């Protein structure tokens, strides 16, 4: 049974930073990433690791967000700097990305967390 639990969301002013965490239980693969969704819009892949454990980013966050992981503790992080109001969304941790490639080419994932809200004003 795979469970993904996100934390670290909150409210921040534009230009600020937040660090999201995702603790994975029952999953030890490499294909993990972060997505975000605003009500009424499609889900967007933000950052993720491909099958070679290379990090990849959406163009909209490149240079501002950093994805990292601690495989020993099954934890995934997303450091978000220089946040913009358009970054306001529910952020989801995902595992077993499909396909397991650069996040821009990921259609979906097998496992999802419940999400953590990020609000940038």
């Amino acid at each position: 049974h795979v469970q993904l639990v996100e934390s670290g969301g909150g409210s921040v002013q534009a230009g600020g930073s937040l660090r999201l965490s995702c603790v994975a239980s029952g999953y030890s693969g490499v294909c993990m990433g972060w997505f975000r969704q605003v009500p009424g819009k499609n889900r967007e892949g933000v950052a993720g690791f491909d099958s070679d454990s290379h990090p990849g980013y959406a163009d909209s966050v490149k240079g501002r967000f950093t994805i990292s992981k601690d495989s020993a503790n099954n934890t995934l992080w997303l450091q978000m700097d220089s946040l913009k109001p358009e970054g306001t969304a529910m952020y989801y941790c995902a595992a077993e990305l499909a396909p397991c490639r650069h996040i821009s080419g990921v259609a979906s994932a097998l496992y999802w967390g419940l999400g953590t809200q990020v609000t940038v004003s």
Side-chain angles (χ1 to χ4, degrees):
H1 175 66
V2 175
Q3 188 175 21
L4 306 175
V5 180
E6 305 99 332
S7 62
S11 297
V12 65
Q13 291 188 335
S17 298
L18 283 174
R19 191 188 196 207
L20 305 184
S21 300
C22 172
V23 179
S25 58
Y27 182 80
S28 58
V30 299
C31 298
M32 296 186 71
W34 292 93
F35 291 74
R36 65 186 180 188
Q37 189 168 24
V38 176
K41 294 190 176 182
N42 291 333
R43 182 177 53 208
E44 173 190 21
V46 176
F49 288 102
D50 64 15
S51 57
D52 293 321
S53 293
H54 294 150
Y57 302 91
D59 288 342
S60 58
V61 306
K62 198 174 298 181
R64 299 186 297 114
F65 289 14
T66 304
I67 189 172
S68 59
K69 60 182 175 179
D70 179 350
S71 298
N73 292 299
N74 293 328
T75 303
L76 187 74
W77 291 283
L78 184 68
Q79 177 67 41
M80 305 185 295
D81 298 318
S82 302
L83 281 161
K84 302 178 181 180
E86 51 264 42
T88 295
M90 185 71 80
Y91 284 71
Y92 297 91
C93 176
E96 201 64 13
L97 306 180
C100 188
R101 56 193 297 183
H102 188 280
I103 193 67
S104 62
V106 176
S108 188
L110 187 58
Y111 306 109
W112 296 90
L114 295 180
T116 184
Q117 177 68 37
V118 172
T119 302
V120 186
S121 59

